[in-house]
Every structure is written in C-alpha cells, then in structure tokens.
Amino acid sequence: QQQQQQQQQQQQRQPRRQRAQAAAAAPPITAGGVDTLRDALAERSEPPNLQVISLHRFMLDPTWHAETGVQVTSACGDAFDVVLSDGAHILKVVLSTALNELVYSGRLEPRGVVTVRGWEARADERALSASAPDLIVVTQLEPVAAPAAAGSSSAAPAAAAA
C-alpha cells in the first residue's frame, strides 16, 4: 500500500516536472521581432520568436482574398487575426487560411510562443503613404512553446502597444 502511494505521488509530480522542463526549454522572445515583421525591407536571416497574445476569428467576405493575396480558401469560411508580441510591442497580423488548422487543432493559442518563418507585407496601393504596411499576412508559422511553457519570464506578455 505504501508503494502504491509512492507511485501515485510520483505520477502527480511528473506533469509538474514536465511543465518545468518545457518552460526551461521555451525559446526566448526575439527583441525587436515586431519591428522585423513591420519592416518590409528587413533582412530575414533569423525568424523572430513572438508570443501570441490573442486570436480573433472572423468570417471571410468576397474582398478578403484580394486584400490579403491569400488564395487558399478555408473550409469553414473563416480566417484569424493574431496579435503577436515581442515583449515590448504588439502587432496584429492576419493568419493565412492555409494555417487555420493550427488554430483548429489547438496548437496555436494565446500565451504560446511561435516562430514566424514567413510573412508578406501588403500595402494599400490607394494610400498616399507607404511608410508602413497596411496588412501583414503570416504565411509560415511554427508553434514552439505551449502556453504553460510560455509562462516563463522570457515570454512575458507585451507591456506596451506599438
């Protein structure tokens, strides 16, 4: 009976250990990562690690594909805005509908850490100023740390809005 109690205690401690190991393994948030996404001419040598602050689902309308340049249509007819942070700034981007499965499967969720491997800055050609892109579409994204692991100090939520 005492041996069973010890086994139960070990099983209860194991998830805590796994969470602690995952937190220690969470990649650091990339300082200036939001600026990297904003700067259409930025050198893309190192993909930024950013924290997901929130996800916002919306239904697609006929103009969405033209505005974003995304040709993949979601089976559910929806898309997602994702708010990302580098710890100092936040940025709202559009997730390519080809990546919706990451949301549906629960792999992309708030407080997780992601590596943004591909994105496109889209400018409104009717706008007079082209200093900043009007829309950033994330085309390649890799979740690298779940929310429990992202709770470490290196992945603190954004403190300031950009």
Side-chain angles (χ1 to χ4, degrees), residues 56-161:
H56 305 276
R57 179 178 178 255
F58 60 92
M59 300 308 293
L60 297 179
D61 69 12
T63 64
W64 190 83
H65 291 289
E67 290 174 2
T68 63
V70 174
Q71 299 306 315
V72 178
T73 301
S74 167
C76 295
D78 59 358
F80 294 91
D81 283 337
V82 182
V83 179
L84 300 171
S85 171
D86 62 9
H89 301 95
I90 61 172
L91 178 66
K92 186 178 190 180
V93 300
V94 175
L95 189 67
S96 169
T97 51
L99 302 175
N100 280 7
E101 184 56 36
L102 294 173
V103 180
Y104 300 150
S105 66
R107 291 181 51 217
L108 179 62
E109 54 188 339
R111 296 188 337 267
V113 177
V114 296
T115 300
V116 180
R117 299 202 179 278
W119 65 94
E120 296 175 7
R122 306 283 298 187
D124 183 352
E125 294 172 1
R126 298 167 291 177
L128 297 176
S129 170
S131 62
D134 296 312
L135 182 67
I136 296 174
V137 180
V138 173
T139 57
Q140 296 177 0
L141 184 91
E142 178 186 348
V144 292
S152 67
S153 61
S154 66

Side-chain angles (χ1 to χ4, degrees), residues 7-19:
Q7 286 177 344
Q8 287 176 345
Q9 288 175 348
Q10 284 180 333
Q11 289 173 349
Q12 289 173 350
R13 283 188 220 131
Q14 190 167 5
R16 193 177 310 151
R17 281 187 194 144
Q18 288 173 343
R19 285 193 304 268

